[in-house]
Amino acid sequence: VPGDVRLDDLFIVLRAGARRVALHAERALDVRTVRLSDIQPAQGLIPSARHFSGVAMIEGGVVFLPDVESFLAAADLIELPQASAA
């Protein structure tokens, strides 16, 4: 259930082409800098990973990097039901 946005809420800000997108996050575990040279194409490792642009190995695990433009394009295709006036 969506709630009110508070000053202490967390957001992940991404660039998707010409758009900037803010994703509301429940929590953040860490902030890392990943060198571009450390990112491998996701499809090279997982052929069905069409919504991921890359994969990076970091200390402690693997990070899948979402293809934000692909997510937004898929979301644009979803028709939301009209809100009824109460």
Side-chain angles (χ1 to χ4, degrees), residues 6-27:
R6 300 184 337 235
L7 289 174
D8 60 345
D9 283 355
L10 299 172
F11 291 90
I12 300 168
V13 180
L14 305 167
R15 193 174 340 153
R19 296 195 250 189
R20 289 205 176 139
V21 179
L23 302 176
H24 192 216
E26 290 183 12
R27 62 189 171 124

Side-chain angles (χ1 to χ4, degrees), residues 17-81:
R19 296 195 250 189
R20 289 205 176 139
V21 179
L23 302 176
H24 192 216
E26 290 183 12
R27 62 189 171 124
L29 300 176
D30 201 353
V31 175
R32 301 278 180 109
T33 299
V34 178
R35 293 183 306 223
L36 191 56
S37 62
D38 291 337
I39 299 173
Q40 301 298 316
Q43 288 76 18
L45 299 171
I46 304 170
S48 63
R50 69 173 195 239
H51 291 298
F52 293 95
S53 61
V55 177
M57 295 294 295
I58 62 167
E59 182 181 321
V62 177
V63 175
F64 288 88
L65 305 169
D67 180 344
V68 180
E69 289 185 78
S70 174
F71 280 119
L72 292 176
D76 287 343
L77 297 175
I78 298 173
E79 291 187 30
L80 300 176

